[in-house]
Protein backbone atom coordinates (compact mmCIF):
# COMPACT_ATOMS: atom_id res chain seq x y z
CA UNK A 1 0.00 0.00 0.00
CA UNK A 2 1.13 3.54 -0.63
CA UNK A 3 3.07 4.99 2.26
CA UNK A 4 4.14 8.48 1.21
CA UNK A 5 1.89 11.00 -0.46
CA UNK A 6 3.34 14.14 -1.98
CA UNK A 7 1.59 17.46 -2.13
CA UNK A 8 1.05 19.26 -4.42
CA UNK A 9 0.84 16.84 -7.35
CA UNK A 10 2.11 19.56 -9.66
CA UNK A 11 3.90 22.83 -9.03
CA UNK A 12 4.89 25.50 -11.53
CA UNK A 13 7.06 28.46 -10.48
CA UNK A 14 9.36 31.06 -11.99
CA UNK A 15 13.10 30.57 -12.09
CA UNK A 16 14.73 31.98 -9.01
CA UNK A 17 11.76 31.34 -6.74
CA UNK A 18 11.76 28.74 -3.99
CA UNK A 19 9.85 25.47 -4.42
CA UNK A 20 8.35 23.60 -1.50
CA UNK A 21 6.99 20.08 -1.72
CA UNK A 22 5.39 18.13 1.10
CA UNK A 23 5.16 14.46 1.90
CA UNK A 24 2.88 12.75 4.39
CA UNK A 25 3.17 9.16 5.48
CA UNK A 26 1.14 6.76 7.57
CA UNK A 27 3.30 4.51 9.72
CA UNK A 28 6.38 5.06 11.84
CA UNK A 29 9.65 5.17 9.95
CA UNK A 30 13.39 4.76 10.44
CA UNK A 31 14.22 7.25 7.73
CA UNK A 32 12.73 9.19 4.85
CA UNK A 33 14.39 9.80 1.52
CA UNK A 34 13.76 12.20 -1.34
CA UNK A 35 14.42 11.25 -4.96
CA UNK A 36 14.28 13.14 -8.21
CA UNK A 37 13.27 11.81 -11.62
CA UNK A 38 13.80 13.57 -14.91
CA UNK A 39 11.16 12.73 -17.49
CA UNK A 40 11.43 9.11 -18.61
CA UNK A 41 14.63 8.46 -16.67
CA UNK A 42 15.55 6.62 -13.49
CA UNK A 43 15.24 8.06 -10.01
CA UNK A 44 18.21 9.74 -8.40
CA UNK A 45 18.69 9.95 -4.65
CA UNK A 46 18.79 13.48 -3.26
CA UNK A 47 18.82 13.33 0.50
CA UNK A 48 18.03 11.06 3.44
CA UNK A 49 16.77 12.21 6.82
CA UNK A 50 16.60 9.90 9.80
CA UNK A 51 13.69 9.73 12.19
CA UNK A 52 15.71 11.41 14.96
CA UNK A 53 16.63 14.37 12.74
CA UNK A 54 14.46 17.42 12.20
CA UNK A 55 16.25 19.23 9.42
CA UNK A 56 18.94 18.52 6.86
CA UNK A 57 20.62 20.58 4.17
CA UNK A 58 22.39 19.68 0.96
CA UNK A 59 23.35 22.55 -1.32
CA UNK A 60 20.12 24.30 -2.33
CA UNK A 61 18.02 21.54 -0.77
CA UNK A 62 16.52 21.71 2.68
CA UNK A 63 14.52 18.83 4.11
CA UNK A 64 12.49 18.90 7.30
CA UNK A 65 10.89 16.01 9.13
CA UNK A 66 8.09 16.17 11.68
CA UNK A 67 7.51 12.67 13.01
CA UNK A 68 4.65 13.84 15.24
CA UNK A 69 2.76 14.94 12.15
CA UNK A 70 4.21 12.17 9.98
CA UNK A 71 5.25 14.69 7.38
CA UNK A 72 8.32 15.97 5.57
CA UNK A 73 9.01 18.89 3.29
CA UNK A 74 11.58 19.46 0.57
CA UNK A 75 12.57 23.03 -0.15
CA UNK A 76 14.58 23.92 -3.26
CA UNK A 77 15.90 27.44 -3.02
CA UNK A 78 16.74 29.73 -5.94
CA UNK A 79 15.23 27.32 -8.44
CA UNK A 80 16.73 26.77 -11.87
CA UNK A 81 15.24 25.47 -15.11
CA UNK A 82 17.32 22.31 -14.63
CA UNK A 83 15.37 21.57 -11.43
CA UNK A 84 12.35 20.71 -13.58
CA UNK A 85 11.60 17.10 -12.68
CA UNK A 86 9.36 14.92 -10.54
CA UNK A 87 10.24 14.62 -6.88
CA UNK A 88 9.36 11.60 -4.75
CA UNK A 89 9.53 10.87 -1.09
CA UNK A 90 10.16 7.32 0.03
CA UNK A 91 9.80 5.76 3.44
CA UNK A 92 10.70 2.39 4.86
CA UNK A 93 7.59 2.23 7.00
CA UNK A 94 9.63 0.28 9.53
CA UNK A 95 9.94 -2.55 7.01
CA UNK A 96 12.87 -3.62 4.88
CA UNK A 97 11.72 -1.93 1.71
CA UNK A 98 11.16 1.56 0.36
CA UNK A 99 7.68 2.68 -0.60
CA UNK A 100 7.37 5.70 -2.87
CA UNK A 101 4.67 8.29 -3.16
CA UNK A 102 3.10 9.47 -6.39
CA UNK A 103 5.45 12.40 -6.70
CA UNK A 104 5.29 16.13 -7.27
CA UNK A 105 5.82 17.31 -10.82
CA UNK A 106 7.86 20.50 -10.60
CA UNK A 107 8.15 22.87 -13.56
CA UNK A 108 10.52 25.83 -13.43
CA UNK A 109 9.64 28.50 -15.96
CA UNK A 110 12.50 30.60 -17.34
CA UNK B 1 25.71 6.98 -14.84
CA UNK B 2 24.42 5.41 -11.65
CA UNK B 3 26.20 2.06 -11.91
CA UNK B 4 22.95 0.26 -12.73
CA UNK B 5 22.51 -0.59 -16.41
CA UNK B 6 19.25 -1.72 -17.94
CA UNK B 7 18.68 -3.18 -21.40
CA UNK B 8 16.84 -2.74 -23.59
CA UNK B 9 15.83 0.86 -23.01
CA UNK B 10 12.75 0.41 -25.19
CA UNK B 11 10.80 -2.74 -25.99
CA UNK B 12 7.64 -3.29 -27.99
CA UNK B 13 6.15 -6.75 -27.75
CA UNK B 14 2.98 -8.54 -28.72
CA UNK B 15 0.79 -10.24 -26.18
CA UNK B 16 2.00 -13.69 -27.27
CA UNK B 17 5.70 -12.83 -27.26
CA UNK B 18 8.32 -13.84 -24.73
CA UNK B 19 10.98 -11.28 -23.93
CA UNK B 20 13.33 -10.42 -21.10
CA UNK B 21 14.56 -7.27 -19.44
CA UNK B 22 18.11 -7.28 -18.14
CA UNK B 23 19.71 -5.36 -15.32
CA UNK B 24 23.33 -5.27 -14.25
CA UNK B 25 24.84 -3.36 -11.35
CA UNK B 26 28.53 -2.54 -10.98
CA UNK B 27 28.31 -1.26 -7.42
CA UNK B 28 28.99 -4.42 -5.45
CA UNK B 29 25.52 -4.29 -3.92
CA UNK B 30 23.78 -7.29 -2.45
CA UNK B 31 20.16 -6.28 -2.98
CA UNK B 32 18.38 -5.75 -6.28
CA UNK B 33 14.84 -4.67 -7.08
CA UNK B 34 12.31 -4.43 -9.88
CA UNK B 35 9.86 -1.52 -9.78
CA UNK B 36 7.02 -0.73 -12.17
CA UNK B 37 6.09 2.85 -12.96
CA UNK B 38 2.80 3.47 -14.75
CA UNK B 39 1.27 6.80 -15.63
CA UNK B 40 -0.57 8.42 -12.75
CA UNK B 41 0.33 5.66 -10.29
CA UNK B 42 2.90 5.49 -7.51
CA UNK B 43 6.08 3.57 -8.13
CA UNK B 44 5.22 -0.09 -7.44
CA UNK B 45 7.73 -2.46 -5.90
CA UNK B 46 7.54 -5.81 -7.72
CA UNK B 47 10.40 -8.00 -6.49
CA UNK B 48 13.28 -7.82 -4.05
CA UNK B 49 16.36 -10.03 -4.14
CA UNK B 50 18.98 -10.18 -1.41
CA UNK B 51 22.11 -12.25 -2.00
CA UNK B 52 20.37 -13.82 -5.03
CA UNK B 53 17.40 -14.97 -2.93
CA UNK B 54 13.96 -13.52 -3.53
CA UNK B 55 12.76 -11.87 -0.34
CA UNK B 56 9.72 -10.05 -1.66
CA UNK B 57 7.10 -10.74 -4.30
CA UNK B 58 4.55 -7.99 -4.13
CA UNK B 59 1.63 -10.03 -5.51
CA UNK B 60 2.98 -9.79 -9.03
CA UNK B 61 1.18 -11.83 -11.73
CA UNK B 62 3.01 -14.95 -12.86
CA UNK B 63 3.39 -13.54 -16.38
CA UNK B 64 6.31 -11.63 -14.83
CA UNK B 65 9.09 -14.02 -13.85
CA UNK B 66 12.24 -12.67 -12.20
CA UNK B 67 15.62 -14.35 -12.22
CA UNK B 68 18.70 -13.43 -10.21
CA UNK B 69 21.66 -15.64 -11.18
CA UNK B 70 24.10 -13.63 -9.05
CA UNK B 71 24.19 -10.46 -6.99
CA UNK B 72 25.12 -8.35 -10.02
CA UNK B 73 22.47 -9.45 -12.50
CA UNK B 74 18.71 -9.40 -12.45
CA UNK B 75 16.32 -10.38 -15.20
CA UNK B 76 12.60 -9.95 -15.67
CA UNK B 77 11.16 -12.54 -18.03
CA UNK B 78 7.95 -11.49 -19.72
CA UNK B 79 5.34 -13.70 -21.37
CA UNK B 80 1.72 -13.35 -22.41
CA UNK B 81 1.58 -9.77 -21.19
CA UNK B 82 -1.43 -7.51 -21.39
CA UNK B 83 -1.60 -3.96 -22.78
CA UNK B 84 -2.04 -2.64 -19.24
CA UNK B 85 1.43 -3.98 -18.45
CA UNK B 86 2.88 -1.22 -20.62
CA UNK B 87 5.01 0.88 -18.29
CA UNK B 88 8.51 1.95 -17.34
CA UNK B 89 10.26 -0.90 -15.54
CA UNK B 90 12.99 0.26 -13.22
CA UNK B 91 15.75 -1.87 -11.81
CA UNK B 92 17.54 -0.75 -8.67
CA UNK B 93 20.13 -1.93 -6.20
CA UNK B 94 21.26 -1.10 -2.68
CA UNK B 95 24.05 -2.33 -0.42
CA UNK B 96 21.64 -4.38 1.66
CA UNK B 97 17.88 -4.66 1.95
CA UNK B 98 18.03 -3.38 5.52
CA UNK B 99 17.18 0.20 4.74
CA UNK B 100 18.72 1.99 7.66
CA UNK B 101 20.61 4.64 5.78
CA UNK B 102 20.83 2.72 2.52
CA UNK B 103 20.32 4.59 -0.70
CA UNK B 104 18.70 2.87 -3.63
CA UNK B 105 20.41 3.33 -6.99
CA UNK B 106 18.16 3.16 -10.01
CA UNK B 107 18.84 2.28 -13.61
CA UNK B 108 17.46 4.41 -16.42
CA UNK B 109 14.54 2.06 -16.93
CA UNK B 110 13.13 -0.03 -19.74
CA UNK B 111 10.10 1.36 -21.53
CA UNK B 112 7.79 -1.53 -22.31
CA UNK B 113 4.89 -1.28 -24.73
CA UNK B 114 2.58 -4.27 -25.13
CA UNK B 115 0.55 -4.26 -28.32
Amino acid sequence: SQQGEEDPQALSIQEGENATMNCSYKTSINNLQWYRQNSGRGLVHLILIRSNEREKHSGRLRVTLDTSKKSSSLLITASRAADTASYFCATDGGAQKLVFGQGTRLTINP
Amino acid sequence: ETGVTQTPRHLVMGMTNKKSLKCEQHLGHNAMYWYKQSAKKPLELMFVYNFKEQTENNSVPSRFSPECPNSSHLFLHLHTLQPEDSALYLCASSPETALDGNTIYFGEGSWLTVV
Side-chain angles (χ1 to χ4, degrees):
Chain A
S1 62
Q2 185 177 341
Q3 167 74 318
E5 292 188 19
E6 290 88 347
D7 169 58
Q9 290 190 5
L11 178 63
S12 181
I13 61 173
Q14 294 301 120
E15 194 167 18
E17 294 179 342
N18 296 340
T20 299
M21 290 158 274
N22 303 297
C23 169
S24 59
Y25 56 92
K26 297 172 184 170
T27 62
S28 60
I29 60 171
N30 295 312
N31 62 75
L32 183 145
Q33 303 185 36
W34 284 91
Y35 286 77
R36 163 199 167 119
Q37 183 182 32
N38 286 1
S39 181
R41 309 291 292 276
L43 280 74
V44 176
H45 178 260
L46 294 176
I47 197 165
L48 178 149
I49 186 165
R50 297 181 186 278
S51 58
N52 61 353
E53 297 175 310
R54 292 294 167 260
E55 188 170 311
K56 204 159 182 182
H57 297 255
S58 177
R60 293 184 295 113
L61 305 181
R62 173 180 168 244
V63 168
T64 62
L65 180 63
D66 187 336
T67 52
S68 66
K69 294 181 180 178
K70 291 187 169 60
S71 68
S72 172
S73 68
L74 171 67
L75 168 68
I76 303 175
T77 60
S79 63
R80 305 168 182 169
D83 294 328
T84 295
S86 292
Y87 292 83
F88 297 85
C89 69
T91 57
D92 60 352
Q96 306 262 308
K97 60 183 180 182
L98 274 186
V99 179
F100 289 80
Q102 223 164 335
T104 292
R105 206 168 52 256
L106 175 64
T107 302
I108 309 298
N109 302 303
Chain B
E1 179 61 51
T2 63
V4 180
T5 304
Q6 289 187 242
T7 55
R9 290 295 317 279
H10 299 271
L11 177 63
V12 179
M13 61 185 289
M15 289 189 282
T16 58
N17 291 160
K18 285 186 180 181
K19 297 284 183 184
S20 297
L21 305 180
K22 179 183 175 183
C23 177
E24 183 175 1
Q25 56 98 358
H26 310 275
L27 302 168
H29 291 166
N30 295 315
M32 296 189 75
Y33 311 81
W34 279 115
Y35 282 88
K36 175 184 177 182
Q37 188 175 35
S38 306
K40 299 181 181 179
K41 283 188 177 180
L43 204 60
E44 301 172 56
L45 177 64
M46 299 175 72
F47 301 103
V48 180
Y49 277 82
N50 188 33
F51 291 98
K52 303 186 300 176
E53 299 298 320
Q54 188 181 115
T55 59
E56 179 103 15
N57 177 338
N58 206 21
S59 302
V60 181
S62 60
R63 57 186 185 269
F64 295 92
S65 175
E67 179 190 0
C68 189
N70 55 61
S71 292
S72 299
H73 293 85
L74 186 64
F75 295 88
L76 189 62
H77 303 301
L78 316 168
H79 63 98
T80 60
L81 294 192
Q82 305 297 313
E84 59 265 29
D85 296 321
S86 299
L88 178 66
Y89 288 84
L90 291 162
C91 174
S93 71
S94 63
E96 310 284 349
T97 56
L99 292 170
D100 186 29
N102 277 318
T103 295
I104 289 190
Y105 294 79
F106 284 84
E108 295 286 17
S110 293
W111 281 101
L112 173 67
T113 303
V114 181
V115 297

